[in-house]
Structure formats: C-alpha cells, structure tokens
Amino acid sequence: MNRHTVSVALLWLALTALGELLVLRVGLFPVAAADEAVMVDRAFRVLMVLGVPVFAFVVATLGYSVLRFRSRGQPTEDGPPVHIHRPWVVFWFAWTTALTLVVIIHPGFTGLREIRSHAARPVDLTVQVQGGRWFWMVTYPEQRVTTVKELVLPVGRHVRFDVTATDVLHSFWIPAFRMKIDAVPGMVTTVSATPTQTGSFAEDAQFRLQCAELCGLNHADMTVPVRVVTESEFQAWVAAQARQTRTVGAR
Amino acid sequence: MGALRELRWIGRGLLFAALGFLLGAAGARGVAGLTGRSEVAQIVVTLGYVGALLGWLLGVGLWDVWVREWVGLPARSLQTQGWSRFFRFNTDHKVIGVQYLVTFVALLLLAGLLAVIMRVELATPGRDLLSARDFNTTMSLHGIIMIAVAVATIIGGFANFAVPLLIGAEDVAFPRVNALSYWIIPPVAVLLILTPFFGGFDTGWTAYPPLSVVNATGGLLFLLAFLTFGLSSILGGLNFITTIVKLRAPGMTWSRLPIFVWSILAAAIISLTATQFVAYGLLMVILDRVVGTGFFDAARGGNALLYEHVFWFYSHPAVYIMILPAFGIWLEVLTHFSRKPLFAYKLVVGAFLSIVVISYLVWAHHLFTSGMQNFLHLPFMVVTELISIPTGIVFLAALGTIWRGRLWLTTPMLFALALVFNFLIGGLTGIFLADVATDIQLQDTYFVVAHFHYTIMGGEIFAIFAGIYYWFPKITGRMFNERLGRLHFWWMFILYQITFIPMFWVGIQGMNRRVADYAPNLGGANQFISIATFLLGASFLVFVVNMVYSWLRGPVAGANPWRARTLDWQTSSPPPVENFQVPPHVVGYPYDYGVPGSVHAVVGVAGGAVTQEEAAGR
Ligand SMILES: [Cu+2]
Ligand SMILES: [Cu+2]
C-alpha cells in the first residue's frame, strides 16, 4: 500500500459516508400512497445505498489523480510503463461482478417478486380504464358507474385496473401509487394497487391518473384527478353516481 | 461566378432530385389510380421521395464515378484540391470525415437550438410560446437529430478521418460506398427540416404506431428520413469492418490495433447487423400508412406491441453504436495525455466485444411497462444488469491509465476526464431503469430523460468534443486556441451538470417526459433547468468562435503537437492524399509510453525510412 492508495481509500471512505448520510437523510420521494409505492421506493433506496460507494470510488480516484498527477504544461517524461496490474484487475472484476449479482437478486428479483405476489392477492375492486385521445374513461363494472371526470378509490382495498386504449398507445400512471402500465389498442393490460391513505388531486398533484406514453397533440393534458376516500365515502359516491346516471337515463 | 461553378455538382444533384421527384410522383399517381386508395398524398410523397433520393445521388456524383462504369464508359474523378473538394462526391476518407463532422456539428447546434426553444416553453407551467403541436414537433425533431448526431458523428466523422491513418492504410476499403453513405445524409436532413411544413410529427424519435400511422404527413417524412439514415449507417458499418479487417498495415496485428479502431470495429458490427431491424419496423409503419397493410392495427389483426420489440431490437444496440466509439476516444485520449500504456488493453477489447453480444439481448428493458408477457421481465432485467461488468472494465482501464500518469490537462484531456464522471452517473442511474420495480415508476419520466442525457450527451457528445479538440490540429494543420478551449470545457461541463442533475429530481417528483406542460408545483425546478439550459447553450458559441477562428488563423500545428505515438500523428498535418508517403510498417504496441526503446511503427518519410522517434525529432 503506497501513500497514493491510502489517500484515495480515505477519500473514498469519507465520500461514501457523506453520500450514505445524504441518501438516508434526504427525503427524495413524493407522497407514497399505496403499498406498491412503498415497495418501489424501498427498491430505489437500496439501489442508492449500493450505488454510493461505487460513485464515491470512481470520483475519489478520478479527482485524486487529476489533482495529484497533473503536470504543469507538456510533460517532459513518460509515466511508469504499467500495462496491467493483476491484483487490481481481479479485485475490480470480483467486486463489480458481486455487486451486479447483488443488484440482480436484491432489489431486482426480490422487488419483482414482492410486487407480483402483492398483485396476486384477491382483488377487492375491479376498475376498467379506457384511454383515448385525450381522455380517460373509468368504469366500475360491479357498481355500474362510468365517468371521465375522476378516479375515486376506497382506501385499503386491493384494486385491479384493466386497461386498454381505443386509438393509439397511452399509459396508465398514478405517480402517488408508483404504478404504470401501457394502454394498448386491442389488448387488456392489468396493474393493481392498494391505496394506503386518503388524498386527492386538489391537495397533491401526485394523485392523478396521467398518460405517460406520448399520444400526440394533447398528451400533456391527458390527466384525470384521483381521489382516495374512506369506504363509506366511496359507497356514497357510487350511490350518487348511480343516481345521476339514472336521472340522465330517465330524461 | 467561379465559386458557383465549383458547386455545380450539387446543383446537378438538386436538378436530378427534382426530376426524380416528378417521375416518382407521376408513377405514384398511376399506382394510386390502380389501387383506388384515398391516401394519394402519402403514396405521392413516398414514391416521389424515392425518385428524388435516387436523382440526387446520381446527380451529385454517383453517375460520374460509378454508373458510367456499368454502362462501359470511363469513370470520371471528381477529386480536386481546395475548398471545393468538400462540396462534391469525393472519395478521400479525410474529406468525407470532414464532410461528416461539419454537417453533424451543424446539426448538433440546430438540435441544441430546438432544445432551447423547448426549454423556453417549459420554463413556466402552462402554454406560453408554442402550440401543443409545435412543441411535439420541436421535441421530436430535437430527439431524432440528436440521435443521428450521436450515431454518425464519431463513426462518420472521426472514424472516417482517423481509422485509415491509425491502421496505416491509404483509404477505406470501399471509398465510393463511403462517399455514398455521406451523400445520403443531406436528403435526411432536408426531410427532417421540412416536417414542420407538413403538419409536423408528434411521435418522438421512437415513432410508435398506431400514432405514427395516423399522424400528419410530417410523420411520413420523418419515417422516410429515418429509413434513409439507416441505409447510410449500414453502408458505413460494412465499410469499416472490411477496412479494419483487410487494410491494416504490415505488422498491425490485432493486439497492436489502437483502441479507437477496436471500438469502431465493435460499433460497425452492430451498425451492419442491427440497423435492418429498425428499417423493417419503419418500413412496416410506412406500409401501414401508404397501402393500409395493418401490421400494427389491432382492428385488422395487427399488434402495436410488435413494433416496440422490433424497434428496440435495433435501438438498444444503437446506444452502443453511439457509446462504444465514445469509449474508444475516451481511452485513446486518456492514454496519450497520461503518457502511460492503456491499462488492461486486452480486457478492454474483450469488454467491447462482449458489449456487442449483450447489447442484442437486452432490448425489452424498454418494455417493462408496455404490457408484454410478465415472464420476460426477469431475464431482461438480469441481462441488462450484466452489462455493468464489461462497462466496469472500461472504467477500470480509464482509472488504471490515469493512475500515476503524467496528466497533461489540455482541452481534449479535460473532456475525456469529464466523460468518466458523466458516464459514471449515466451508468449508475441506468441500473434504476434496468430494475423492474423502480422502472415501473421511472419509465417515461424525466428520470429517463436525465439518464440518457448523461449517457448520450455526457458520454457521447463530450466524446465528440474530446475528439474534435484532439484531432483538430491533424485535420486542419492548425492549433485551436487553448484558452478558449478550456473556457468552453469548464463552461459546458459545469452548466451541463446544473442542467441535468435537477432533471433526475423532477422525474422522481412525477414529471413525465415529452410533455408541453406539467404540474404547477414543479414550476420552480423547471425554471431553474430552463435558465441553466440557456447558459449551457451559450457555451457552444465559444466553441464555434474558437473553431472558425483557429481553422482560418490558428498557429501552424506541426505533425505531432501532442507527441502521441499512434500512426495518425506520424504524418503531416493535414496528411497528404495518400496519407503516408511510404506505407508504414508496424513493429510494436502503440501505447508503450515509458517503455525504453519501444517503437510502434516505422514510417517512411521522403528520403528513406526512419523510426517515429527520429521522425518526431526532425
Ligand atoms: Cu395518452
Ligand atoms: Cu436499452
């Protein structure tokens, strides 16, 4: 271990400590209003924690080299003719491979399995979602309610969305739930979410159903407010909607 | 008048293009009549364009240097000296390299300007400057032009200029094909610039159907442009593979090949073998538009998801067409300016080749939220993340090379060092998009925008600048202004970070990409990003001033101002038409800095063969 290596090692440790502190302390995420959102954010944080030492290592080596090994003006001599340094290569290869495998297993495989098994639980409510240029039509088949104005969901219920599109590709995305699936013409795609807290678009823009796949002219405006309410509020809303539909029908 | 006469080949190209268009369009009327279809305009545009493209190529020089031979006439050479050689069908790889470079740097500036326009609109929530249609067109044009710049500037520009020099060859294997692949580019640029006058196009560069089938005629122009550009890419790939395999100077064994040449070989393999896939995808979209085949129309038994697979089967490998040559420039510059051998050369070559293979097996990581089969998620996540291992080797080589070197912090070296930093961020954030769980949220958000600007702009565009400053003295024979070069570097590097780091944050905060408008709570962040973008854009003015002034007025550079050891620096600046007065002989490894008595090549100069050390002393 020469003095350069030791210096970089210390620099690396310091940067890593600082980076990890930032990752664990700084709140990076918007409101996480569903079980799935918590899972996604957790995976994100694991990747940050794993990425910081790698970032710190390269930055420490790069920064140290630039400051320490730079020559004033054109160098008059060559550097040491090192073509390869076997222990370092083995060290590097072993660590990058190990880290890659870790990331693949956790949060890669575990995160995927967590979301899948969560989606496989019994469904409490099914909502059909149809994307078209430029609106979202949501249908609650069991409640016989259809609306284009808002998406209302009961808190704590496992909701499955059956998504499709009428014209071009769209994408069903609710940022507060961290869940997204494309709406494809001629196909029904599904995604599910279990809201964990009440909230609405009026309070927080993360509660919105947003089209996330470029669909032409008014793509940016293809949003519908989302409102997560208590079970009783939901039932009241359904009843009101059904009444409205009947009056419209009777007229 | 004299100047105009020098441009007559371009004039003839335009004339033939017009005739070709009329012929094609007339044919199209006939076809349209036969089929009785209503989309006559689409057929007319398509066949008219095919006619115009052929007319243009024939007029600009294909007829003289190529077709005349087929009909038994002697071919005419259009080679000349002087400035006009850059404006004709010239087969000298150095001229073609400069043609590519200047064309694509101009396109880079144009696409940068489009980014600035976009950021004006995005500076505040709500609609300000652009209509929704104009925003979509601006965004889509910015995307496709930058993609073209990233794909073609290094391969078309630097590889054309430097690869034959680096391997000690007189030219590329197929000089006429080489010229053809350049002269295909102007029609591509013209088509793209015309799109706003035909209703624009609103699909982004990805052109997903059904939208790309049903949008305005501008969308068709874009599809034709992309398809044509692909043809140029395929021809370029073919040419470089053949050149590198067949035309290496005596003694230039595979283990003595400069790393930039390896990177070009790797990229050329992808160019040649992957581009067809996107061409098929685009052709099927064009057929859906023009003759109503319905490949991607669910109502007629088609499937929109199919396109996404075909498209990314090319477009992920295409990322490596962009980034592998950037790695090449990156390592080349780091080595020469550290005055140390390239660290772990053979492992880097292995890494390049394994990236080529793996790049074919990861495309569906763009489809995690597309609704494709669930069982595909895990394998594509695994293979994508495996790419970290060979990429890690490239980082190892970069860090191992500069470690304890004699770092000469010239402008190209600063850009090369910055690449290490930028691509580190690009690579690490890529893992968040390879991971299925996090990608479900991040897909189609500004996190993706920030990520690929860190890889493509931070990795590739910075490499283009490293390459421009590195080879500028060789290409022009003059030295650029080092102070302005450094000013450009620091200005661009710092503003680049300030512009793109916040994009990760707005992405996490739920701002989706390709939108003209966003939630009001992100107004502050977006205003910040917009202002940073304008300042970043201004840094390019420094670059342009430096280039123009130095090309005209810069001090004479000499053959080897960097005292680099590769063959490109062992001939005059700019090199003579035949590159080397006497074909060089390679006798050793190119990167043996610090190895006593080492020699890479014996280069002939007038009056007999000398070693390169002696030649440098003259
Ligand atoms: Cu949409
Ligand atoms: Cu990809």
Side-chain angles (χ1 to χ4, degrees), chain A residues 132-134 136 168-171 211-216 219 222:
Chain A
R133 299 207 280 176
W134 288 272
W136 289 105
V168 301
L169 296 178
H170 301 278
S171 191
C211 177
E213 182 68 70
L214 184 56
C215 56
H219 165 60
M222 191 168 155

Side-chain angles (χ1 to χ4, degrees), chain B residues 320-350:
Chain B
Y320 291 95
I321 301 179
M322 306 171 197
I323 214 66
L324 281 167
F327 286 165
I329 291 186
W330 176 7
L331 295 176
E332 197 76 47
V333 169
L334 287 178
T335 304
H336 298 307
F337 290 91
S338 299
R339 300 210 70 80
K340 265 188 69 199
L342 174 59
F343 190 81
Y345 169 89
K346 286 187 181 166
L347 280 176
V348 174
V349 172

Side-chain angles (χ1 to χ4, degrees), chain A residues 35-36 39 109-123 158 192 194, chain B residues 374:
Chain A
D35 287 342
E36 291 75 7
M39 296 170 193
F109 178 70
T110 54
L112 187 58
R113 200 184 51 179
E114 194 181 18
I115 289 172
R116 288 277 167 74
S117 60
H118 212 69
R121 289 171 312 134
V123 172
H158 183 210
S192 73
T194 311
Chain B
N374 268 343

Side-chain angles (χ1 to χ4, degrees), chain B residues 346-426:
Chain B
K346 286 187 181 166
L347 280 176
V348 174
V349 172
F352 284 179
L353 297 178
S354 41
I355 287 175
V356 170
V357 175
I358 301 175
S359 77
Y360 276 95
L361 306 172
V362 299
W363 78 90
H365 61 214
H366 297 269
L367 280 75
F368 286 153
T369 62
S370 68
M372 71 172 176
Q373 300 295 316
N374 268 343
F375 69 85
L376 291 171
H377 291 177
L378 184 63
F380 279 100
M381 175 177 75
V382 170
V383 182
T384 302
E385 289 181 350
L386 287 179
I387 279 202
S388 320
I389 298 171
T391 310
I393 300 280
V394 177
F395 275 91
L396 170 68
L399 296 178
T401 303
I402 60 174
W403 185 248
R404 310 192 69 172
R406 304 287 180 267
L407 272 56
W408 186 15
L409 300 180
T410 59
T411 309
M413 181 62 162
L414 289 172
F415 273 100
L417 290 165
L419 277 162
V420 181
F421 181 78
N422 295 341
F423 202 76
L424 176 66
I425 296 179

Side-chain angles (χ1 to χ4, degrees), chain A residues 77-79 83 180 208, chain B residues 339 406-407 443 509-510 592:
Chain A
E77 43 155 28
D78 288 351
H83 288 89
K180 182 184 293 141
R208 69 186 197 275
Chain B
R339 300 210 70 80
R406 304 287 180 267
L407 272 56
Q443 165 77 335
Q509 297 305 312
D592 272 339

Side-chain angles (χ1 to χ4, degrees), chain A:
Chain A
M1 283 270 177
N2 60 46
R3 122 191 104 84
H4 296 308
T5 319
V6 173
S7 309
V8 168
L10 291 175
L11 194 57
W12 171 65
L13 281 174
L15 282 175
T16 306
L18 186 69
E20 298 293 11
L21 202 70
L22 279 174
V23 168
L24 297 174
R25 279 295 172 80
V26 175
L28 198 53
F29 309 111
V31 59
D35 287 342
E36 291 75 7
V38 175
M39 296 170 193
V40 168
D41 288 356
R42 197 188 302 135
F44 194 104
R45 201 171 282 116
V46 171
L47 289 176
M48 290 286 278
V49 167
L50 290 171
V52 163
V54 179
F55 181 74
F57 183 83
V58 176
V59 169
T61 315
L62 184 69
Y64 184 84
S65 302
V66 170
L67 294 175
R68 193 67 190 69
F69 304 132
R70 73 169 191 273
S71 77
R72 312 227 162 263
Q74 185 160 11
T76 46
E77 43 155 28
D78 288 351
V82 180
H83 288 89
I84 194 161
H85 186 274
R86 220 161 269 283
W88 267 109
V89 170
V90 172
F91 170 87
W92 184 276
F93 193 75
W95 271 103
T96 51
T97 309
L99 272 173
T100 305
L101 293 179
V102 166
V103 167
I104 286 173
I105 294 164
H106 182 69
F109 178 70
T110 54
L112 187 58
R113 200 184 51 179
E114 194 181 18
I115 289 172
R116 288 277 167 74
S117 60
H118 212 69
R121 289 171 312 134
V123 172
D124 302 322
L125 174 68
T126 305
V127 180
Q128 293 168 348
V129 182
Q130 199 177 55
R133 299 207 280 176
W134 288 272
F135 64 89
W136 289 105
M137 188 169 81
V138 286
T139 304
Y140 301 74
E142 288 143 49
Q143 288 75 11
R144 294 166 180 265
V145 170
T146 294
T147 175
V148 292
K149 291 204 187 94
E150 61 177 345
L151 173 62
V152 180
L153 299 170
V155 71
R157 294 281 181 268
H158 183 210
V159 188
R160 195 185 73 204
F161 302 96
D162 294 341
V163 182
T164 191
T166 52
D167 38 31
V168 301
L169 296 178
H170 301 278
S171 191
F172 171 94
W173 179 41
I174 300 174
F177 298 171
R178 314 281 192 273
M179 282 289 114
K180 182 184 293 141
I181 193 76
D182 281 4
V184 185
M187 249 173 91
V188 175
T189 53
T190 62
V191 69
S192 73
T194 311
T196 50
Q197 61 184 80
T198 57
S200 72
F201 180 71
E203 300 152 15
D204 189 334
Q206 305 295 334
F207 286 90
R208 69 186 197 275
L209 162 50
Q210 165 88 52
C211 177
E213 182 68 70
L214 184 56
C215 56
L217 196 62
N218 294 324
H219 165 60
D221 306 327
M222 191 168 155
T223 59
V224 167
V226 173
R227 194 151 57 94
V228 180
V229 296
T230 61
E231 180 68 37
S232 55
E233 285 171 325
F234 179 71
Q235 295 306 341
W237 178 78
V238 166
Q241 289 295 312
R243 233 181 352 264
Q244 211 173 33
T245 318
R246 263 199 305 279
T247 27
V248 171
R251 219 178 276 158

Side-chain angles (χ1 to χ4, degrees), chain B residues 280 283-285 287-288 292-298 300-304 306:
Chain B
Y280 291 135
L283 193 60
M284 285 158 87
V285 174
L287 287 173
D288 268 15
T293 39
F295 290 119
F296 306 118
D297 180 359
R300 282 183 273 182
N303 182 345
L306 169 66

